[in-house]
Amino acid sequence: IRNISATGALIEGLWNVPSGMELVVEFSDVQTIDAVVRWSREDRMGVEFASAIDIAAVCAQPRSLAS
């Protein structure tokens, strides 16, 4: 995740993901959120979360690398 807001995120590392694709963003083992890809360009995409998230709670969790 390159940047994040309460309603979406810029995610880097997946190539040419089609707009409209539904996915699940995993912040931790216990916190996930449904999202929809709104745009994609090369290895970056913008996603909109299904509902707003608590940024402070997400940022307080330990960081880990994608698996």
Side-chain angles (χ1 to χ4, degrees):
I1 295 177
R2 174 61 67 181
N3 75 35
I4 191 168
S5 72
T7 58
L10 170 62
I11 299 175
E12 197 173 66
L14 298 173
W15 286 84
N16 302 315
V17 179
S19 294
M21 181 175 182
E22 296 179 356
L23 48 87
V24 176
V25 178
E26 183 177 302
F27 297 112
S28 70
D29 291 339
V30 295
Q31 186 173 14
T32 62
I33 185 87
D34 293 332
V36 176
V37 176
R38 293 300 180 199
W39 63 267
S40 175
R41 190 172 315 117
E42 297 178 349
D43 72 333
R44 291 183 172 200
M45 65 179 160
V47 300
E48 179 182 10
F49 301 141
S51 59
I53 62 168
D54 180 349
I55 294 293
V58 170
C59 292
Q61 295 181 24
R63 293 183 181 195
S64 64
L65 297 175
S67 55

